C-alpha cells in the first residue's frame, strides 16, 4: 500500500511524463512542417515513449492500492527557431525531469518505501540515457552549424535510429 506522500509524488511524476509527451509531440509536428522527416519520426517516437513512461506509473500506482490521477495539461511551446533550439529545449526539459525523479526517489527513502524506490530505478537509468542522447545530438548539430548537407545527413541518421529502435518496443530514447 502506498503512503499518501508517495502516491502524491508518483502522481506528480505522471503529470511530468504526460507533459513531456505533449512537449515532444509539439516538437515533432514543428519538425514535420519544416520537412525534417527523420527528426519528426524520432520526436514522434520519443513522445510515444513518454506516454509509456506515464502509463507505467499509472499502472504501478493503481496496482499498489493508490489512485492514479490523469492530469490536465498546459499547451506546450510551439515556436522553435531551429532544430538546435529543439534539442536544447529537449535537454533542458529532461534535466528538469531528472530533478523531479530524484525528488521522488528522495521521498521513497524518507518514507522507507523500498518497493517504490526499486520501481523508480528504471526511471533513474532512463534519464541517464536520455540526457546523454540529447547531449550527443546537440554536439552533432553544433558541428554541422549552417551546413545544409550536414543537416540533411543528421535528419537521415535520426530516421535510421528511429527505424532501428522501433522493433524494440521503444523505451530507450
Ligand atoms: Fe520520461 Fe524523458 O523522461
Amino acid at each position: 500500500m502506498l503512503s499518501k506522500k508517495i502516491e502524491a509524488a508518483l502522481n506528480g511524476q505522471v503529470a511530468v511524463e504526460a507533459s513531456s509527451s505533449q512537449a515532444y509531440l509539439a516538437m515533432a509536428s514543428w519538425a514535420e512542417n519544416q520537412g525534417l522527416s527523420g527528426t519528426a519520426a524520432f520526436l514522434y517516437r520519443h513522445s510515444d515513449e513518454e506516454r509509456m513512461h506515464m502509463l507505467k506509473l499509472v499502472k504501478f500506482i493503481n496496482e499498489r492500492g493508490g489512485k492514479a490521477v490523469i492530469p490536465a495539461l498546459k499547451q506546450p511551446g510551439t515556436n522553435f527557431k531551429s532544430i538546435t533550439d529543439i534539442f536544447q529545449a529537449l535537454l533542458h526539459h529532461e534535466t528538469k525531469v531528472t530533478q523531479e525523479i530524484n525528488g521522488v526517489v528522495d521521498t521513497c527513502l524518507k518514507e522507507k518505501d523500498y518497493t517504490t524506490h526499486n520501481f523508480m530505478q528504471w526511471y533513474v537509468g532512463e534519464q541517464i540515457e536520455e540526457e546523454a542522447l540529447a547531449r550527443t545530438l546537440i554536439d552533432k548539430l553544433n558541428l554541422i552549424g549552417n551546413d545544409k548537407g550536414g543537416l540533411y545527413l543528421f535528419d537521415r541518421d535520426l530516421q535510421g535510429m528511429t527505424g532501428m529502435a522501433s522493433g524494440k518496443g521503444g523505451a530507450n530514447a
Side-chain angles (χ1 to χ4, degrees):
M1 189 77 183
L2 297 174
S3 75
K4 284 292 155 200
K5 267 193 191 157
I6 295 286
E7 185 182 11
L10 291 174
N11 272 317
Q13 195 60 35
V14 167
V16 168
E17 301 293 344
S19 67
S20 300
S21 180
Q22 288 292 90
Y24 302 152
L25 188 56
M27 291 176 183
S29 178
W30 181 90
E32 191 161 55
N33 282 325
Q34 299 291 315
L36 296 162
S37 57
T39 307
F42 175 86
L43 290 165
Y44 278 126
R45 183 169 69 90
H46 202 31
S47 172
D48 285 347
E49 286 178 359
E50 297 299 351
R51 185 168 189 281
M52 190 278 286
H53 298 174
M54 177 195 68
L55 271 179
K56 199 175 164 82
L57 282 155
V58 166
K59 291 186 175 169
F60 180 81
I61 295 166
N62 290 337
E63 273 166 16
R64 300 285 301 158
K67 275 203 174 64
V69 178
I70 307 306
L73 299 173
K74 282 196 204 130
Q75 185 179 20
T78 51
N79 281 331
F80 303 102
K81 290 194 282 292
S82 65
I83 185 170
T84 307
D85 190 31
I86 287 230
F87 283 101
Q88 272 164 351
L90 189 149
L91 176 60
H92 181 68
H93 186 87
E94 287 301 330
T95 307
K96 284 202 297 191
V97 173
T98 300
Q99 285 170 4
E100 299 287 341
I101 286 169
N102 289 344
V104 178
V105 170
D106 197 42
T107 307
C108 290
L109 292 175
K110 285 190 181 126
E111 292 283 294
K112 298 192 187 330
D113 182 341
Y114 302 113
T115 306
T116 306
H117 182 271
N118 185 54
F119 169 77
M120 288 305 296
Q121 294 313 300
W122 184 85
Y123 289 86
V124 171
E126 185 69 12
Q127 286 313 113
I128 296 170
E129 282 186 29
E130 288 198 14
E131 285 191 31
L133 179 60
R135 287 196 177 91
T136 303
L137 295 177
I138 290 168
D139 286 348
K140 281 191 186 181
L141 285 167
N142 285 338
L143 274 175
I144 290 166
N146 292 323
D147 175 21
K148 290 240 188 310
L151 185 58
Y152 172 80
L153 292 175
F154 176 89
D155 189 62
R156 207 184 60 180
D157 282 356
L158 279 192
Q159 182 90 58
M161 281 171 68
T162 307
M164 262 181 343
S166 62
K168 294 192 338 184
N172 61 341

